[in-house]
Amino acid sequence: MNAAGARFTGHGHAPHGHYGIDAPLIPLSYALGAVVALVVAAFAVARGWGASLWTPLAICLALLVCAALFLHASLRGKRRAWRQQLDELDLQPGCRVLDLGCGRGAVLMALAHRIAPPGRAVGVDLWHNIDQFGNAPAAAEHNAEVEGVEDRVQLCTGDITALPFADDSFDLIVSSLAIHNIAAPQDRTTAVREAVRVLRPGGTLAIMDLSFARRYLDALRDPPMRDLRVRDLGWHMWWTGPWMRTWLATATKAESEQVPGGGSQVA
């Protein structure tokens, strides 16, 4: 999954861009599995195997529910979760924000609608199509144009484990279901610490991700961070079911390295 995946409503804004579906092969595989199960059920009926009918029907229903929950999280749940989070942050018009793994730009455009020049909404990505259908810089550029925020959006091709930005460059850094795509645990830790490096003192880091989000707090205890929190985002962000739920980890960069990292809170 990647950082974009839904039509997004910004701060009082009706969306116009097209942001695709996260990891589209996953819901497609569930849907195809449901079709196969339905065919098996039909075959059982044709052969008069009434006792064998209910198992494939139950499997078909379960797979359809999984696909529906996945699509809801991608197309609606993520929009709802980020809108709530950005409302709580109350962004200033001229701030600089960074989206790690921006994809086609759903979260990035929502950020851009909440700031104004000279503020900038910067998105960085490696543009992998397996993580999101149609993921490409051209798609994000097109969405910025149709959303009317191209004057404050900047796209960058880069690895989030080695960000091409100077220290203390951004007031807010977000990442939406992108860091877990990094295979090696130590590289995920590196990505989180790179985000801390380019975050300005007093700035906020908000990472929305799967179960790994709870582990990101460990990577935030050594840098000068405070107000570490992680919370479950509820059923709207279940990717097939409660066994694949989404968490939001947030932290604030301390004003100086002499300030302790602060406690952590898990909800």
Side-chain angles (χ1 to χ4, degrees), residues 63-85:
L63 291 173
L64 288 175
V65 169
C66 288
L69 285 171
F70 191 101
L71 291 173
H72 174 77
S74 181
L75 298 173
R76 297 181 61 87
K78 187 162 52 177
R79 175 183 64 186
R80 177 181 180 273
W82 275 113
R83 183 172 62 242
Q84 179 180 348
Q85 177 63 21

Side-chain angles (χ1 to χ4, degrees), residues 107-132:
V107 179
L108 187 64
M109 305 315 160
L111 288 165
H113 277 292
R114 294 165 182 263
I115 62 176
R120 301 289 284 177
V122 181
V124 60
D125 206 313
L126 289 174
W127 317 106
H128 291 156
N129 275 288
I130 193 172
D131 299 324
Q132 182 190 48

Side-chain angles (χ1 to χ4, degrees), residues 20-102:
I21 298 172
D22 294 274
L25 292 179
I26 294 178
L28 178 61
S29 65
Y30 279 106
L32 290 176
V35 171
V36 170
L38 192 60
V39 169
V40 171
F43 182 79
V45 171
R47 288 299 184 97
W49 300 340
S52 303
L53 170 66
W54 301 109
T55 297
L57 282 180
I59 292 173
C60 176
L61 178 60
L63 291 173
L64 288 175
V65 169
C66 288
L69 285 171
F70 191 101
L71 291 173
H72 174 77
S74 181
L75 298 173
R76 297 181 61 87
K78 187 162 52 177
R79 175 183 64 186
R80 177 181 180 273
W82 275 113
R83 183 172 62 242
Q84 179 180 348
Q85 177 63 21
L86 296 182
D87 284 344
E88 293 174 1
L89 291 173
D90 190 24
L91 298 178
Q92 298 301 308
C95 68
R96 286 177 55 83
V97 299
L98 174 64
D99 183 358
L100 303 176
C102 65

